[in-house]
Amino acid sequence: GAVVSQHPSRVICKSGTSVKIECRSLDFQATTMFWYRQFPKQSLMLMATSNEGSKATYEQGVEKDKFLINHASLTLSTLTVTSAHPEDSSFYICSAGTGSSYNSPLHFGNGTRLTVT
Amino acid sequence: DAKTTQPPSMDCAEGRAANLPCNHSTISGNEYVYWYRQIHSQGPQYIIHGLKNNETNEMASLIITEDRKSSTLILPHATLRDTAVYYCIVRVEAYSGAGSYQLTFGKGTKLSVIP
């Protein structure tokens, strides 16, 4: 089945540094990928929609200059958390669709646990 | 977006069928019902989806009422590994309009399978 790979699975960084998270579709091309964030005991919240070759679309309340998204190819999207602060500590999850039909399911990566100290 | 309502938690005995309900009374005619689950500290896993007809795959069955206002996910023989949060989602179009789409997650149902 379709596989979405995220890297790294866990990262610890110091406050003020930047962290890059990669999301790859391993066996299919994804023109659109989605980035979600999940705080403890809460549901997934959509942060942004990543479009190959164009600017990402951010959800209300998500700072585009803080969460930089690059979707440079049909199999790779990256999320960079810039100048990270402890409140950015969260579980970040990407997803991608396998095709262009309306009812194709989205598949998710296994997430990246970010801890900012 | 059509909203879904699910019970916050359910228990099921190991080996028995787990029936997880979902209400989506405002669903529109071309919206599909999707089910995903999330095991602790992992990404969501796709289970099944449907429009009008009942669906079955190797993981589960999906029963959608005739008026489409509610559905039930059935895990026929629950195991301990089925303990997870189960999300019922009605699909919307994403901004790109390219056929891909976003999923809006509610709080889901925390299913605990008990030995």
Side-chain angles (χ1 to χ4, degrees):
Chain A
V3 178
V4 175
S5 174
Q6 252 183 273
H7 179 79
S9 57
R10 287 180 180 274
V11 59
I12 300 173
C13 71
K14 291 189 177 179
S15 189
T17 62
S18 295
V19 173
K20 181 185 282 189
I21 302 169
E22 291 187 348
C23 178
R24 293 181 185 272
S25 54
L26 296 186
D27 53 358
F28 64 97
Q29 294 184 332
T31 54
T32 305
M33 291 185 178
F34 301 92
W35 287 95
Y36 291 83
R37 179 168 56 182
Q38 185 175 34
F39 291 107
K41 301 195 181 203
Q42 293 186 24
S43 189
L44 285 78
M45 295 296 296
L46 180 67
M47 297 176 67
T49 302
S50 167
N51 301 295
E52 188 266 336
S54 64
K55 289 184 179 179
T57 304
Y58 291 82
E59 295 300 299
Q60 192 172 9
V62 178
E63 299 175 56
K64 63 180 181 181
D65 294 330
K66 180 168 183 62
F67 298 99
L68 301 179
I69 291 173
N70 186 294
H71 193 159
S73 77
L74 287 171
T75 60
L76 173 64
S77 175
T78 60
L79 169 68
T80 301
V81 183
T82 62
S83 187
H85 290 286
E87 57 265 31
D88 298 323
S89 297
S90 188
F91 192 49
Y92 292 86
I93 308 168
C94 71
S95 69
T98 57
S100 60
S101 64
Y102 184 74
N103 62 347
S104 297
L106 280 182
H107 295 273
F108 288 79
N110 259 337
T112 297
R113 175 82 53 196
L114 170 64
T115 303
V116 184
T117 61
Chain B
D1 302 357
K3 211 174 162 183
T4 62
T5 304
Q6 298 177 255
S9 64
M10 289 181 66
D11 291 341
C12 177
E14 189 179 15
R16 303 297 293 268
N19 297 284
L20 293 94
C22 179
N23 285 322
H24 31 78
S25 58
T26 61
I27 193 170
S28 61
N30 61 350
E31 287 181 310
Y32 285 74
V33 179
Y34 282 77
W35 283 84
Y36 283 77
R37 71 180 182 185
Q38 186 178 25
I39 295 168
H40 183 61
S41 293
Q42 296 184 23
Q45 177 189 21
Y46 166 77
I47 301 173
I48 199 168
H49 73 280
L51 182 64
K52 293 181 186 177
N53 300 321
N54 299 336
E55 301 288 344
T56 296
N57 62 20
E58 64 278 4
M59 289 183 70
S61 294
L62 174 60
I63 309 297
I64 302 174
T65 58
E66 194 170 339
D67 62 8
R68 302 213 321 127
K69 292 185 176 181
S70 65
S71 60
T72 301
L73 178 75
I74 302 172
L75 308 178
H77 304 286
T79 70
L80 298 179
R81 285 177 292 181
D82 292 322
T83 292
V85 178
Y86 286 76
Y87 296 99
C88 167
I89 302 166
V90 173
R91 222 188 88 170
V92 298
E93 287 286 353
Y95 303 115
S96 70
S100 290
Y101 56 92
Q102 66 189 46
L103 291 172
T104 301
F105 287 81
K107 296 183 178 179
T109 296
K110 182 173 171 55
L111 175 68
S112 299
V113 180
I114 301 166

